[in-house]
Amino acid sequence: MKPKYVGYFNEFGNGLNPWKMIATHAIFDSSDLTGLKEAFEHFGLVVVRRVYDKEETQRFYELQKKFCGIGDEDIKRVVSGEIKPVVGGTPALTEPGFWPLIVNENTKRIVAEILPGVPATEFGTSAGAHYSARGLHRDFPQWYKMPKSGMSLERPSDTSLRILIYPSKQGVTAGTFGAVPFSHRRDLYERYAKQLGIKHSFDWFEMHRDLIKKAVATGDTKELDEMESNIDWVAADPGDVVLLDSKMQHSGDFITGPRYLFTTSFAKENEFILNTLRQRWSTGMKPHEVGYYEYLHANGLASEQLVHECRAYAAKAA
Ligand SMILES: O=C(O)CCC(=O)C(=O)O
Ligand SMILES: [Fe+2]
């Protein structure tokens, strides 16, 4: 029989997202984090609403603009190619004003829930303005191949927690963020892909960049569209945060307006994380580095030993 309504439902979209038949992420309100750990381990992607109140949200937004040196209106110059977006830096180490925002009562509770049994620590912040980490990727891809990292794609309990904050003014959603459901855990991905009739393998998503290149070179976007139709998009309003298992295949959304991004990364303070920090410290200490780790320690987010070592490296560098 000839279909009657072809073209009516799908106006140039990428087709159906096969994952929409099941839950792919969790949403919590900061007032009740019961079950957060289980949800995070299951989905690898959780939005927590109202981690920052209105005053903190405004303070974060103003500080982010100041730190990045670029305002909302500058998005136009970024889009026209006149100036570059801002990305990188180590905001926590150069701007102590961020400290009480990185560690507030809610972020402390989030970290304590997801990485219980102290110590856990924050091992790297970044800031961006009108920047989006486009293209599916895993953070710290080299780590998953290193047995000593304690972060294997095959062991669900291994995890590092990325907190993504999208400072912006009230009423403007800066943070739309995408991830491939269950891409942090081969076991769950394979179970749900089978249930949903998804034929693509867990490893297929590593080809995203190649597919973009192919699409640009040939104009054929079919396979790229097919892959991107698997992405689960979530939105963080001002004051919300996105919690991400770093093992997820993920990507920022298109730039459609001012887009500020602040990231923090937490993990159990094991020998591997300590070594990562030692390597960084041995190449020179920044003025506020010790202060930052002292601040984390005072808030239960770095061990005595870590602070002790940090001080020793600073003394050597001085
Ligand atoms: O641009 C984004 O929202 C994604 C950021 C990201 O990939 C990251 O911080 O690891
Ligand atoms: Fe990333």
Side-chain angles (χ1 to χ4, degrees):
M1 197 179 74
K2 197 167 162 264
K4 265 162 92 178
Y5 304 114
V6 169
Y8 186 79
F9 293 106
N10 186 9
E11 299 170 33
F12 309 111
N14 288 344
L16 289 181
N17 182 331
W19 296 95
K20 294 256 174 181
M21 300 300 162
I22 61 171
T24 47
H25 60 267
I27 297 180
F28 281 72
D29 189 276
S30 64
S31 60
D32 183 6
L33 300 180
T34 316
L36 179 64
K37 183 176 170 55
E38 293 72 22
F40 182 78
E41 284 176 1
H42 185 74
F43 294 116
L45 177 63
V46 176
V47 181
V48 185
R49 304 259 186 245
R50 289 187 290 201
V51 165
Y52 300 103
D53 65 22
K54 284 201 173 158
E55 182 276 320
E56 286 172 308
T57 302
Q58 185 65 22
R59 190 145 48 92
F60 214 140
Y61 166 61
E62 296 299 342
L63 198 55
Q64 177 91 7
K65 278 195 296 190
K66 190 173 135 224
F67 180 79
C68 293
I70 183 168
D72 282 353
E73 286 291 322
D74 292 316
I75 180 70
K76 292 172 190 158
R77 296 199 294 146
V78 170
V79 169
S80 70
E82 194 187 325
I83 57 170
K84 280 193 198 158
V86 175
V87 58
T90 44
L93 302 182
T94 37
E95 177 47 83
F98 282 121
W99 298 353
L101 296 166
I102 295 168
V103 180
N104 80 354
E105 286 312 308
N106 288 328
T107 57
K108 267 202 259 186
R109 287 166 57 234
I110 289 169
V111 176
E113 283 282 334
I114 292 178
L115 299 166
V118 262
T121 198
E122 199 289 311
F123 63 91
T125 54
S126 75
H130 315 329
Y131 160 82
S132 179
R134 292 286 302 152
L136 288 174
H137 65 280
R138 290 193 166 99
D139 294 332
F140 320 117
Q142 69 284 13
W143 287 8
Y144 310 122
K145 297 187 180 86
M146 296 162 68
K148 280 198 181 146
S149 71
M151 286 182 210
S152 152
L153 282 175
E154 315 303 327
R155 268 197 313 271
S157 61
D158 296 350
T159 192
S160 93
L161 162 67
R162 182 86 129 191
I163 302 187
L164 304 167
I165 303 141
Y166 297 90
S168 65
K169 45 186 172 201
Q170 290 294 328
V172 176
T173 298
T176 318
F177 173 83
V180 176
F182 304 108
S183 53
H184 62 317
R185 285 179 56 171
R186 193 182 293 272
D187 58 339
L188 290 184
Y189 177 87
E190 286 176 353
R191 184 196 308 167
Y192 290 119
K194 189 165 176 220
Q195 180 185 319
L196 296 167
I198 295 167
K199 297 277 182 287
H200 300 294
S201 74
F202 183 72
D203 298 318
W204 180 55
F205 298 92
E206 286 178 17
M207 283 172 45
H208 188 236
R209 273 199 196 280
D210 297 332
L211 292 186
I212 291 176
K213 279 191 205 142
K214 187 180 145 200
V216 169
T218 66
D220 177 3
T221 65
K222 195 163 173 288
E223 206 182 344
L224 179 64
D225 287 347
E226 164 89 18
M227 184 177 286
E228 294 196 347
S229 75
N230 285 267
I231 298 175
D232 179 26
W233 294 102
V234 299
D237 288 320
D240 300 348
V241 304
V242 175
L243 308 182
L244 179 75
D245 183 323
S246 306
K247 291 187 287 187
M248 294 287 277
Q249 286 279 9
H250 64 272
S251 160
D253 198 3
F254 299 111
I255 298 274
T256 54
R259 190 176 197 274
Y260 295 99
L261 167 66
F262 190 98
T263 73
T264 59
S265 295
F266 294 87
K268 282 183 195 150
E269 197 195 288
N270 58 19
E271 204 48 29
F272 181 78
I273 289 293
L274 280 172
N275 274 333
T276 305
L277 290 171
R278 282 175 192 133
Q279 264 168 26
R280 218 183 286 158
W281 292 337
S282 67
T283 60
M285 299 289 293
K286 304 239 166 50
H288 284 100
E289 200 135 355
V290 178
Y292 178 56
Y293 287 101
E294 285 170 346
Y295 183 85
L296 290 176
H297 175 64
N299 283 279
L301 282 166
S303 71
E304 189 73 53
Q305 185 202 341
L306 186 145
V307 176
H308 179 77
E309 285 200 34
C310 185
R311 284 194 192 118
Y313 276 99
K316 222 190 280 174

